[in-house]
Amino acid sequence: MTLVKSGSGADAIADAAADDGVPLGVKILAVLQLILYIAVVLFIVGHMFFVWYKGARYKEVFTVEGMLNKRLAAGMPEKMTDEEITEAWKLMDEAFATWTVIEKTDDDEFRKPTKMKQIKKSVLLIDQVISMCPTDADVIERLNSLTDVINSGEERHFDGSKKLIWLGVIVGILMYWMMGVGMMFSTLIATGLYVVASRTPQFLIDKRALRGGGNIHNGIFAGVFGLLAGAQTVRTIYKFNDGHKEYSDDHSQHWIALAIGLVVLFVLAMMMAFWALLNYLRNYVLYF
């Protein structure tokens, strides 16, 4: 009968784990990096969905009756004084002046925010007017027009590449057969995050349109399609002494172009997480 020392199996496993050749400090660093990576991803996802959930900055259309009720509830006088009306107009004019001139006529000029810092600066002034609970009809009409411009400028629309999304979905499905379920879900999730990260405020869409619009992905797709369209079939003609001819077609350019194009598109799809991060920084943080 063979005897086994008690605890020898557990000791062997512990020894094997200790002798895997990786220093403890490296393991701890790897775990900390993983935790940091997950925390960053969760923060980005949470921030984007919070912006989506929050919706419009100003959620009501102001009225004289509504403002009157707010003044009464706050214990303020029923109507604005002339000094308050003058101050409200001053604040609204300052807010309007922070925006970019879009069109100018002999009698008037039209402005709208083209930068996030313009929105933030004007919002501080507009909010001061709202806190005054104005009851003057002209002030309220002007206030509603300013808040409507802010809401319209901050309203988000998809401004990414639809071709890249389809490519991400197709490559993600192919990943199931090539590298397993984990890689498939990783690619599809990154594609979904790219969609959310590409929701761009209207003021930024307009700004990009003025400087030419477009994005790098569409340029890459155009280059790939141009490569495929530019490939040629080389025909060699052989003439024989008896007068007849034979032809030999070389399609190698098409196959080479197709191979290069597929590699480029595959790499483009595999970088989906990077494109999602880039669009997050552009559309939610830096606004460029």
Side-chain angles (χ1 to χ4, degrees):
M1 181 175 64
T2 303
L3 299 177
V4 179
K5 183 180 179 182
S6 175
S8 60
D11 293 340
I13 294 174
D15 291 340
D19 296 336
D20 61 0
V22 180
L24 180 60
V26 174
K27 292 180 180 179
I28 294 175
L29 181 60
V31 172
L32 292 177
Q33 288 176 337
L34 178 61
I35 293 174
L36 178 61
Y37 172 78
I38 294 174
V40 170
V41 171
L42 291 177
F43 173 81
I44 291 174
V45 173
H47 181 209
M48 291 192 297
F49 278 96
F50 171 75
V51 171
W52 195 341
Y53 171 80
K54 184 177 65 174
R57 184 183 295 269
Y58 297 105
K59 296 177 171 58
E60 66 174 305
V61 176
F62 301 106
T63 63
V64 173
E65 182 180 0
M67 287 297 188
L68 178 59
N69 291 334
K70 290 181 179 180
R71 291 180 73 91
L72 293 176
M76 301 169 63
E78 185 174 337
K79 292 185 178 180
M80 300 178 71
T81 63
D82 292 339
E83 290 77 11
E84 287 179 316
I85 293 176
T86 300
E87 179 65 17
W89 278 107
K90 177 184 176 183
L91 291 169
M92 291 189 294
D93 288 343
E94 289 179 6
F96 182 73
T98 64
W99 299 346
T100 302
V101 177
I102 303 301
E103 183 180 347
K104 202 167 187 177
T105 64
D106 294 336
D107 301 325
D108 208 348
E109 65 180 15
F110 301 89
R111 293 173 177 257
K112 68 178 182 180
T114 57
K115 300 177 181 179
M116 179 52 73
K117 65 179 181 181
Q118 293 177 342
I119 290 179
K120 290 180 177 180
K121 187 174 181 179
S122 62
V123 161
L124 292 176
L125 299 166
I126 292 171
D127 287 349
Q128 291 183 54
V129 179
I130 295 174
S131 67
M132 296 170 65
C133 299
T135 54
D136 181 81
D138 292 333
V139 171
I140 290 178
E141 181 181 1
R142 180 60 169 172
L143 178 61
N144 281 324
S145 67
L146 294 178
T147 56
D148 182 62
V149 171
I150 293 292
N151 283 344
S152 298
E154 290 191 310
E155 186 177 3
R156 290 180 178 266
H157 305 277
F158 177 78
D159 191 40
S161 171
K162 294 180 179 179
K163 297 185 183 71
L164 183 61
I165 294 174
W166 281 110
L167 179 64
V169 172
I170 293 172
V171 171
I173 294 173
L174 292 176
M175 286 292 100
Y176 175 76
W177 288 278
M178 296 173 60
M179 303 181 70
V181 177
M183 198 64 188
M184 177 189 73
F185 279 116
S186 177
T187 305
L188 293 179
I189 290 173
T191 302
L193 291 177
Y194 170 80
V195 174
V196 181
S198 298
R199 296 182 69 250
T200 308
Q202 186 61 48
F203 81 88
L204 192 54
I205 295 176
D206 296 339
K207 180 180 179 180
R208 291 172 183 169
L210 289 176
R211 68 183 185 215
N215 57 61
I216 186 174
H217 313 114
N218 290 336
I220 294 175
F221 279 110
V224 170
F225 294 143
L227 179 66
L228 295 174
Q232 299 178 346
T233 298
V234 179
R235 168 167 289 185
T236 303
I237 303 175
Y238 300 96
K239 296 181 179 180
F240 295 89
N241 293 332
D242 59 3
H244 82 279
K245 300 179 181 178
E246 292 184 4
Y247 304 93
S248 175
D249 292 335
D250 181 6
H251 302 284
S252 60
Q253 286 191 27
H254 294 280
W255 291 111
I256 293 173
L258 180 61
I260 295 175
L262 290 176
V263 170
V264 171
L265 294 179
F266 183 82
V267 172
L268 191 65
M270 294 305 296
M271 294 177 62
M272 191 65 73
F274 170 76
W275 302 127
L277 175 61
L278 179 62
N279 275 11
Y280 166 74
L281 294 175
R282 296 181 69 201
N283 299 328
Y284 288 82
V285 181
L286 302 177
Y287 299 100
F288 66 90

